[in-house]
Amino acid sequence: MTLRDKVGQLFVCEVHGSGATTTTAAQATANHHLYGPDVGNGAQLLAKYHLGGVIYFGWAGNLAGPQQIAALSNGLQRAALSDPDGVPLQISTDQEGGVVNRIGAPLAVSPGNMAIGAAFSPRVAYDTAKAGGTELRALGITVDDAPVVDVNTEPANSADGPRSFGDDPATVAALGTAAVDGYRSAGVAAQVKHFPGLGDTTVNTDNGVAVTDRTRAEIMAEDVPPFRAAITAGVQSVMAAHIVAPALDPSGAPASLSRPIVTGLLRDTLHYDGVVITDSLSAAALSGIAPDRIVLDAINAGDDELLMPADLPSAVATVLTAVHDGTLSTARIDQSVYRILREKYELGLFTDPYTTSGAVGANVGTPAHLATMADAARRSMTLLRNDDRTLPLAAGRHVLVTGWGASPTTALAADLTAAGVSTRRLYTGSPDQAAIDAAVAAARATDVTVVTTYNAWGDATQRALVDQLLATGRPVVVVTVGGPYDLAYFPGARTCLAAYGYQPVTLSAVSDALLGTAPTGHLPVTVPDAAGDTTLLPYGSGLPGYGR
């Protein structure tokens, strides 16, 4: 491999277009803006920069449907291998399930990590990962940027929340390891994230700087165990976060750019020798650092793959210049390239990088996979209060469905109606007072109100809606379709169901629980009161069936 070939392998980037050579005018313009006037599509991007990987997004036009995705993957692989010395491509996406999911139906979609945590079953974690991984592999996607193994100990965590399995390190480690094994059995590399852990922070690094004030001992005891377990299980990829952890690196460098964290902790202390990829280098958390410094610091830290640099042409030039002037050694580049090529070899990409229409038809959205995800969602439903025996909904009752989320309220109302329940839907989202007044009036004329919330701990308008619905004195069922922490703000709610997500498979499970399928899930986190002073709902809470 030439030096340019090797440097190209270090980068994983997005590309606009539904095919390797097919783009709309707007998509070609987007590629020109990112990569230069001679790069209008994926094939041209790979020919020019010899990238190691491509990451798929819906907003880039990559994910229109199974056959299209498979054709795109094959086209990009053909482009990568068109040179006699070409290297097969790593193709990835963020198919976590739950609230972060790139590809929907007809794929079988996981209800998400916290839902799996509520089932308290490593087997469920394994089965959902294997089913999801099998479908991704059929589409030519060989790395899933999942699972999140952060231990979510901060209720106001805007980065993780329901993306985490829970707040107990041992449980998160067990479920994360099972998921890694499930992906491996499907021929897909798992990518655990976000090292060394974002679980106790409030800021999403996509939007700003996240800092943890934990001591090194606390980080090692609370955040690191799931990563240690995944490494022991042979995980092939670890994503380094942009979190600032002064106890691990007093310089204040983000973890992704920190040699004490990536090399010192991850490689030397935890003995990890697989691929390390940065979180997106376009994230706001890095906005105060010069672009060339970001690239060089990431490589010097010990990262192998650099995800989505803000300016790829400049980033590649920075690395080439650093090697030519001796700032970076060829040996250091070779070290990362070896790890990347080894991962691709282990995934069988040098033998058969392509997929087929038959593989898509046989493996995507199968009844068995759909049943696996439905079972996980059903087992996650967690009934936390049923003081007035509102659930299950009695026959003949008139029900109002209102609250956050156009899709959740639509799906729940449709399911209840299909089951013969007289149902009215009134979507409010984050409501103004007029919308709240309309919902309250509708609730007064209804037997039972089902109200959905999502991160209401950070949305005073959602909290006002629920409070005023409760003030009617009519039966109200609060359904949290994100993390269960919203319930801290509704101590007067007498019927509460935690659902942990809003994928269709989860909403079907919610409808079933409302109608009579007894919930069996338990809280995988502790819910403190709104002030954070005392425990409102202990870890493991969950009513047996519909009992009090």
Side-chain angles (χ1 to χ4, degrees):
M1 298 173 69
T2 67
L3 178 61
R4 291 190 68 90
D5 291 336
K6 294 176 184 178
V7 171
Q9 288 296 303
L10 305 182
F11 292 95
V12 178
C13 297
E14 75 274 34
V15 63
H16 293 257
S18 60
T21 59
T22 54
T23 56
T24 65
Q27 289 167 346
T29 297
N31 289 327
H32 293 320
H33 175 74
L34 287 169
Y35 307 122
D38 53 346
V39 176
N41 58 48
Q44 292 169 344
L45 173 64
L46 296 174
K48 184 173 182 179
Y49 290 107
H50 311 285
L51 295 183
V54 166
I55 181 170
Y56 286 168
F57 294 99
W59 50 258
N62 306 145
L63 303 174
Q67 295 294 345
Q68 170 270 318
I69 298 169
L72 171 61
S73 298
N74 285 340
L76 291 174
Q77 292 290 9
R78 282 192 294 271
L81 294 167
S82 60
D83 185 287
D85 296 321
V87 175
L89 195 64
Q90 170 190 310
I91 299 176
S92 61
T93 197
D94 296 275
Q95 190 79 352
E96 297 176 14
V99 300
V100 174
N101 195 74
R102 303 301 185 211
I103 316 171
L107 271 68
V109 177
S110 166
N113 279 1
M114 194 166 282
I116 293 168
F120 280 86
S121 169
R123 185 72 206 188
V124 169
Y126 175 90
D127 288 344
T128 53
K130 183 178 180 180
T134 298
E135 300 203 353
L136 291 180
R137 184 73 195 219
L139 303 179
I141 298 170
T142 53
V143 175
D144 193 359
D145 300 338
V148 171
V149 295
D150 298 339
V151 181
N152 198 82
T153 53
E154 170 53 63
N157 190 327
S158 61
D160 289 330
R163 298 171 67 193
S164 166
F165 288 112
D167 66 10
D168 174 66
T171 300
V172 174
L175 298 177
T177 298
V180 168
D181 289 342
Y183 284 118
R184 181 189 297 108
S185 69
V188 168
Q191 184 179 100
V192 294
K193 57 188 183 184
H194 309 81
F195 187 81
L198 293 175
D200 78 320
T201 64
T202 59
V203 177
N204 188 324
T205 55
D206 289 343
N207 305 318
V209 177
V211 180
T212 177
D213 61 2
R214 282 184 164 168
T215 66
R216 183 182 182 90
E218 289 170 335
I219 292 170
M220 296 301 293
E222 298 291 328
D223 298 302
V224 168
F227 293 98
R228 188 191 298 274
I231 291 166
T232 300
V235 71
Q236 292 169 288
S237 184
V238 173
M239 177 177 283
H242 300 321
I243 187 174
V244 175
L248 300 180
D249 184 349
S251 75
S256 56
L257 310 185
S258 166
R259 187 169 180 82
I261 294 175
V262 176
T263 295
L265 177 55
L266 181 56
R267 295 214 186 276
D268 295 345
T269 300
L270 301 183
H271 307 296
Y272 177 66
D273 190 40
V275 170
V276 177
I277 185 170
T278 68
D279 205 341
S280 172
L281 296 182
S282 301
L286 304 182
S287 61
I289 306 173
D292 59 339
R293 193 72 263 152
I294 290 173
V295 170
L296 295 178
D297 285 355
I299 296 172
N300 285 324
D303 301 319
D304 303 304
E305 294 181 328
L306 282 63
L307 178 63
M308 298 172 64
D311 185 339
L312 176 67
S314 176
V316 169
T318 293
V319 178
L320 290 172
T321 298
V323 174
H324 289 314
D325 68 17
T327 305
L328 280 176
S329 69
T330 303
R332 171 65 191 90
I333 301 299
D334 288 349
Q335 186 181 48
S336 285
V337 173
Y338 172 78
R339 293 191 187 107
I340 294 165
L341 297 182
R342 181 181 61 191
E343 180 185 64
K344 293 178 179 182
Y345 175 81
E346 291 170 348
L347 290 169
L349 292 177
F350 286 95
T351 303
D352 185 9
Y354 303 109
T355 188
T356 66
S357 295
V360 175
N363 293 294
V364 172
T366 67
H369 292 168
L370 293 169
T372 292
M373 301 310 187
D375 178 66
R378 177 186 59 79
R379 294 175 65 169
S380 75
M381 293 296 108
T382 307
L383 186 63
L384 293 163
R385 298 190 195 119
N386 195 24
D387 295 345
D388 52 7
R389 300 287 182 167
T390 298
L391 295 183
L393 297 174
R397 305 200 86 179
H398 297 274
V399 176
L400 170 67
V401 176
T402 190
W404 180 92
S407 295
T409 52
T410 298
L412 293 177
D415 285 348
L416 295 179
T417 299
V421 177
S422 176
T423 308
R424 177 184 177 186
R425 172 185 177 264
L426 184 60
Y427 164 64
T428 62
S430 295
D432 58 18
Q433 190 57 49
I436 293 174
D437 290 343
V440 167
R444 291 186 187 280
T446 305
D447 294 323
V448 179
T449 295
V450 175
V451 57
T452 56
T453 70
Y454 181 81
N455 286 2
W457 49 262
D459 185 346
T461 66
Q462 289 188 61
R463 300 199 298 271
L465 169 67
V466 176
D467 286 343
Q468 291 178 49
L469 289 171
L470 293 172
T472 66
R474 309 289 289 174
V476 175
V477 181
V478 178
V479 180
T480 59
V481 293
Y485 305 106
D486 293 1
L487 298 176
Y489 295 85
F490 312 125
R494 302 186 68 189
T495 311
C496 302
L497 182 70
Y500 311 104
Y502 47 80
Q503 289 294 333
V505 68
T506 293
L507 298 173
S508 292
V510 170
S511 298
D512 290 344
L514 296 176
L515 293 167
T517 300
T520 59
H522 296 271
L523 277 183
V525 295
T526 298
V527 177
D529 66 4
D533 296 329
T534 61
T535 294
L536 180 69
L537 293 166
Y539 180 90
S541 295
L543 297 179
Y546 289 102
R548 291 180 184 273

